[in-house]
Amino acid sequence: MPPVKKNPLNLNALQLKTLTLLQVLAGLEGVGQPVVEGGVMVDRFPHAHGNHFHLGPYTVMSADATGLSNEAAWVALERKGLIKSQFPNAAIVTETGLAYDTGIRGQILHGSDH
């Protein structure tokens, strides 16, 4: 068998970052809400202060989160079956989206220092 391909849906950098952040939001207590048809709804998004924002135990640079307010990124993720978009108010991260390994968590999620 051939090795499993990294990023099999060929998501671009913006899409990978956006999906990663949606996955983290979906897993945060009080933010992600399971939905009957499967997946998790996210309808609360962080607000930056300065050049970063906090996401649970993580600090994220604002530059890595531009996709959260980019409709084109949401459209692409929806087309690939990773989310169901209700842009800009909410996204349902599908089971496929929750399971997708973006491979960049360690690059954009930093341990919080305050």
Side-chain angles (χ1 to χ4, degrees):
M1 284 180 71
V4 176
K5 179 181 176 187
K6 280 190 170 185
N7 194 14
L9 295 177
N10 296 316
L11 301 180
N12 68 28
L14 179 65
Q15 295 161 2
L16 285 169
K17 289 176 184 179
T18 304
L19 180 59
T20 300
L21 296 176
L22 289 171
Q23 289 170 335
V24 172
L25 285 164
L28 291 177
E29 185 176 330
V31 177
Q33 303 169 20
V35 293
V36 174
E37 62 271 9
V40 178
M41 176 178 279
V42 175
D43 62 0
R44 293 186 8 207
F45 299 95
H47 298 284
H49 52 276
N51 64 350
H52 70 282
F53 62 91
H54 300 275
L55 199 58
Y58 305 108
T59 300
V60 178
M61 300 307 295
S62 299
D64 288 328
T66 59
L68 291 177
S69 60
N70 184 316
E71 188 173 11
W74 289 40
V75 167
L77 293 173
E78 184 168 41
R79 185 178 62 246
K80 294 179 183 209
L82 302 170
I83 70 168
K84 293 179 183 172
S85 175
Q86 298 172 10
F87 184 84
N89 301 314
I92 296 172
V93 186
T94 65
E95 291 176 5
T96 302
L98 291 169
Y100 195 89
D101 182 7
T102 63
I104 64 165
R105 288 177 72 97
Q107 295 171 27
I108 66 170
L109 302 174
H110 309 285
S112 181
D113 62 352
H114 64 281

